[in-house]
Amino acid sequence: MANWRRKTRSPSRGGRNEYQLILPFDEAIEEFNRTRNPLVFPNGVPNFGATASIRIGDRAPVIWAGADGPEVRMTPWAWKGPGGRPVFNFRSDGRDFSNSLRCVIPADGFFEFTEPEAGQKQKTKWRFGLAGQTNFWIAGLVKEGAFAMLTTEPGPDIAPYHDRQIVLLPQGEALDWLDLRAGSRWRRSGHRPGRSPPRLGTVDRLSAA
């Protein structure tokens, strides 16, 4: 990956709608199994291989707190809103999620799009990774059997590319978000008190999309 550099560009105002999970899902499983909360698989271990592009409507592995512990389920991305449009992002600012069904979404990259540059007809696609970590978690919610990603104000790394940012959780913090009793340890924005958004140390510029 190329080193991240701040650059003046026209950030997107639309929603983010693509991420990736290329690394083996076993790594996400192992993070839970090292704790006292090993994962359970109500429907068996997901048959999910390396996927470079997960988009709205696709089914992907997500984890939420079940009766017998954190459980993995293949879940479609986006539930239907009141008007029938897909709800794939959910604004976290000023909201209380203490009674919501929270989930974490394993990922090792996500994408943003900026307005076409000179000579381009299509938007430019950028792939982000978390600094110092091979994979991470995206905080989300489950409703009507589908999931959506939480968003918040952008950190300094995302601001040049987008006016919103998905809520990212470093390795080791998935259980904190899933624990409904941990609500007081989280700001309404989805970040823990006193904790800045994780830094995104690298970004790849991909071909126009």
Side-chain angles (χ1 to χ4, degrees):
M1 286 188 177
N3 290 331
W4 179 86
R5 294 180 298 171
R6 181 176 294 275
K7 183 178 178 181
T8 301
R9 54 178 58 84
S10 299
S12 173
R13 295 299 189 269
R16 61 234 21 88
N17 56 10
E18 188 176 356
Y19 70 102
Q20 70 177 35
L21 181 57
I22 295 177
L23 296 175
F25 184 57
D26 293 350
E27 294 189 16
I29 295 174
E30 182 59 28
E31 178 172 339
F32 277 85
N33 290 346
R34 286 195 296 265
T35 72
R36 297 180 181 179
N37 299 272
L39 292 178
V40 295
F41 301 88
N43 299 320
V45 178
N47 183 18
F48 184 83
T51 306
S53 176
I54 303 171
R55 302 188 180 193
I56 296 168
D58 291 346
R59 298 176 66 85
V62 303
I63 300 168
W64 66 74
D68 298 319
E71 58 186 46
V72 182
R73 291 183 182 268
M74 292 295 292
T75 309
W77 184 9
W79 63 75
K80 288 186 178 180
R85 300 186 65 179
V87 178
F88 53 95
N89 296 326
F90 198 84
R91 194 179 185 96
S92 66
D93 312 59
R95 288 184 165 135
D96 181 3
F97 300 109
S98 58
N99 295 315
S100 301
L101 179 53
R102 308 179 194 180
C103 71
V104 289
I105 304 136
D108 51 49
F110 67 94
F111 302 93
E112 297 292 359
F113 300 83
T114 53
E115 296 303 321
E117 299 179 1
Q120 291 183 349
K121 294 183 178 180
Q122 297 176 311
K123 291 184 178 182
T124 302
K125 182 177 181 179
W126 305 86
R127 180 174 59 208
F128 293 85
L130 201 60
Q133 298 192 21
T134 56
N135 55 21
F136 51 88
W137 303 97
I138 301 170
L141 301 175
V142 174
K143 182 178 178 181
E144 300 176 1
F147 74 89
M149 298 178 178
L150 291 188
T151 69
T152 187
E153 292 294 323
D157 295 341
I158 287 290
Y161 300 84
H162 205 287
D163 64 340
R164 298 290 294 171
Q165 175 177 328
I166 53 177
V167 176
L168 302 173
L169 306 176
Q171 295 173 10
E173 293 195 8
L175 280 170
D176 287 343
W177 172 243
L178 296 183
D179 184 0
L180 294 179
R181 297 168 299 177
S184 62
R185 299 205 303 270
W186 293 80
R187 290 201 301 256
R188 287 174 180 260
S189 66
H191 293 299
R192 292 178 68 173
R195 184 75 59 85
S196 299
R199 291 304 305 269
L200 305 174
T202 56
V203 59
D204 281 343
R205 181 187 185 281
L206 307 180
S207 59

